[in-house]
Amino acid sequence: MTEESPRRRVLACLGTGLVVGLAGCSSGGDGTTDDGGPDDSGDGSDETTDSQTGASPSDTTGQGSGLTATGESAVEGLEIVDLERQGGNSNKILMFTTVRNTGDQTTDLSEYNYEMSLYDSEGDTIQGSRGYAKGDEVAPGDSGTINVSHSVEGDVADVARAEVSINCNGALIDGAYCQS
């Protein structure tokens, strides 16, 4: 058995550390970006469902316990079919929004305006700023997701209800179903 040189031992440790570091950087990435707000890591996921599906909204973990969510589309050709709260942190709600293309054109979900309104248990609006990440391109009849986020002035635990909507409002909105 030969004795390992100190140089080889250092190189082996560096190589192992580099592989572990790269694995940590690449795991869990979904290729999306958000609005540049605080880190979205947090307490796990909370699930909610769109009231249009007939299922009752629920939130079963940690922050914002009892959070309900509803979705509405003002865009003919798109329908919100599911809302699922994901992670977040002490000042951000992140909602994975599943949208079904009920129209006859392929469209990119990020080419529409998404708004999320947040309310406390008294029904008062919770102030903050919104943003969303890149969405999926969706063929007619298929569904895709877009991540809609909303920063909260205060504590996310105060949020009792979230309403997500899709529309064609805005100067830079150019979705296939927004053009006349």
Side-chain angles (χ1 to χ4, degrees), residues 53-65:
T53 66
S56 61
S58 65
D59 176 45
T60 58
T61 63
Q63 297 175 342
S65 184

Side-chain angles (χ1 to χ4, degrees), residues 8-156:
R8 287 182 186 246
R9 194 173 314 130
V10 168
L11 290 174
C13 288
L14 282 173
T16 302
L18 182 60
V19 168
V20 170
L22 288 175
C25 290
S26 64
S27 68
D30 62 2
T32 60
T33 59
D34 78 338
D35 64 348
D39 184 346
D40 286 335
S41 63
D43 66 334
S45 70
D46 296 332
E47 291 188 22
T48 54
T49 355
D50 177 14
S51 64
Q52 296 172 0
T53 66
S56 61
S58 65
D59 176 45
T60 58
T61 63
Q63 297 175 342
S65 184
L67 175 75
T68 59
T70 58
E72 180 179 343
S73 177
V75 178
E76 189 173 329
L78 297 179
E79 171 187 32
I80 295 177
V81 294
D82 191 42
L83 296 167
E84 182 180 334
R85 180 169 174 207
Q86 292 292 313
N89 55 31
S90 64
N91 65 351
K92 182 182 272 188
I93 297 283
L94 176 62
M95 199 70 70
F96 283 10
T97 305
T98 303
V99 179
R100 179 178 296 127
N101 182 348
T102 59
D104 60 358
Q105 301 178 59
T106 297
T107 191
D108 186 333
L109 295 180
S110 63
E111 294 177 342
Y112 298 88
N113 184 42
Y114 294 82
E115 296 178 9
M116 185 181 339
S117 300
L118 303 176
Y119 303 92
D120 64 18
S121 61
E122 303 295 318
D124 295 326
T125 302
I126 296 176
Q127 299 299 314
S129 59
R130 65 184 171 86
Y132 61 91
K134 183 174 180 348
D136 294 333
E137 185 168 283
V138 183
D142 288 342
S143 296
T145 60
I146 187 158
N147 305 335
V148 182
S149 64
H150 195 293
S151 296
V152 176
E153 290 179 13
D155 191 343
V156 118

